[in-house]
Structure formats: structure tokens, C-alpha cells
Amino acid sequence: SDMRVHFGLGAAAEIERVELRWPSGTKDIVRKPPVDHILVIKEGKGLVESRPFQKVTELAEQHKETK
């Protein structure tokens, strides 16, 4: 199953921090992560990968260009 969590920021333009509390009881904090990105956060290691999130409309345009 998909382990991703997707959430919006409303009118906010940036994120102060993302705080994760894992089932084991440990906590990871990622400060000032980029917006409009897919973040990969691993328990005990914090942010290990960040890549831009492609909106559905952008993906559709790319698909049209390859035809």
C-alpha cells in the first residue's frame, strides 16, 4: 500500500518544519523542507531524498509532447 502522505499548505508559501513521530517513539524533524516536492524521510535519518512533485497537468503535457 502507498505510504505517502499528501497535504496542502493553504495560503502558506513555505513550511517551517515537518515533525514525524514514529510508532517506535522516535521523532524526526525536517526544518524548512521545499514545497511542491516529494520528500523521503527515514526513521532516524531524517530527510534522505527530495524531488519536485509533477502536477497531473504537467505530466499530461509531457505525454502529449512524446507522441
Side-chain angles (χ1 to χ4, degrees):
S1 66
D2 194 346
M3 301 291 288
R4 294 180 292 180
V5 178
H6 181 239
F7 53 93
L9 302 178
E14 65 181 22
I15 304 167
E16 182 180 323
R17 74 175 187 243
V18 173
E19 184 173 310
L20 293 103
R21 294 182 189 265
W22 301 96
S24 67
T26 61
K27 178 172 71 172
D28 282 303
I29 298 174
V30 178
R31 299 191 188 282
K32 302 275 185 193
V35 297
D36 293 331
H37 276 64
I38 294 174
L39 307 175
V40 178
I41 302 170
K42 291 194 176 184
E43 185 174 359
K45 296 184 181 197
L47 182 65
V48 297
E49 183 181 347
S50 173
R51 59 183 181 270
F53 176 77
Q54 287 189 308
K55 296 179 179 130
V56 173
T57 52
E58 292 172 357
L59 292 172
E61 287 300 317
Q62 286 178 0
H63 182 71
K64 284 181 190 176
E65 292 172 5
T66 60
K67 284 187 170 186

